[in-house]
Amino acid sequence: MAGVARVAGLLAGFATLAIVLLITYDVAMRYFFNEPQIFVDEVASFLEVLVVFGGAAYTFRAGGHVRVDLLTGRLPAGVRAWMRALTLALGLVFLSIVIWVTTQSAVTAWRYGRVSTVMLYPLWMPMGIIPAGLALLALTMLVSLGRQVKLLAGPRAGRDEVGADEHA
């Protein structure tokens, strides 16, 4: 699991680099040669999907997600542990719904043979990255929920939020 999340995060990083290079190329061609590169907008948008959904699981594992500690920071450790378990469970329910809907959209695009406007690549490929990335995030969250429940089942003194993975 950790290796897959790491590889997906690495691909998201390379996609970010590719976006920068493509946009730089487009701007240079437009400015110096008055030849805008129409494909760059489409490819950059496709790569942005990879950046967001491919890097989500790694970001979660590394603890890079946004947290709001204004209220929870003052709560007892046991309460924070239960809140963490509850929010992970609710997040998994939400992700399940979104994964189902986006999978249906990708399958529909595949069935009807929908293609992109400029480069005519099949749209089910970038659309499939969304549920795949979210499924990887859900699996990562499920592992974290398992760790949290295991901690909650242990001694009362050791109950607190499970932190980010140390080997992310």
Side-chain angles (χ1 to χ4, degrees):
M1 176 66 66
V4 175
R6 190 175 300 116
V7 168
L10 185 63
L11 287 175
F14 282 129
T16 303
L17 177 62
I19 290 169
V20 169
L21 293 174
L22 283 169
I23 291 175
T24 302
Y25 171 70
D26 182 38
V27 168
M29 290 299 289
R30 183 176 307 193
Y31 182 75
F32 292 115
F33 302 107
N34 198 24
E35 293 286 332
Q37 304 299 304
I38 299 173
F39 77 95
V40 170
D41 293 333
E42 195 167 281
V43 173
S45 298
F46 169 67
L47 292 172
E48 287 169 7
V49 171
L50 178 61
V51 168
V52 171
F53 294 99
Y58 179 78
T59 302
F60 180 81
R61 285 184 48 83
H65 55 284
V66 176
R67 292 177 40 131
V68 179
D69 291 333
L70 289 174
L71 301 175
T72 61
R74 298 181 184 186
L75 294 175
V79 174
R80 282 196 312 264
W82 281 104
M83 285 182 65
R84 173 78 170 167
L86 177 66
T87 56
L88 283 169
L90 286 173
L92 285 169
V93 169
F94 173 75
L95 278 176
S96 299
I97 294 167
V98 176
I99 289 167
W100 174 258
V101 171
T102 55
T103 300
Q104 294 303 312
S105 295
V107 168
T108 301
W110 178 69
R111 282 186 187 150
Y112 289 115
R114 292 182 57 205
V115 295
S116 69
T117 308
V118 176
M119 295 182 62
L120 301 177
Y121 62 81
L123 283 179
W124 64 267
M125 291 190 311
M127 291 175 81
I129 289 175
I130 297 170
L134 291 177
L136 183 58
L137 175 60
L139 288 173
T140 305
M141 288 175 67
L142 188 62
V143 168
S144 186
L145 178 61
R147 290 176 46 219
Q148 185 67 51
V149 168
K150 184 178 175 183
L151 192 68
L152 281 169
R156 185 177 290 258
R159 292 182 184 168
D160 200 352
E161 292 180 90
V162 172
D165 291 346
E166 11 349 285
H167 306 293

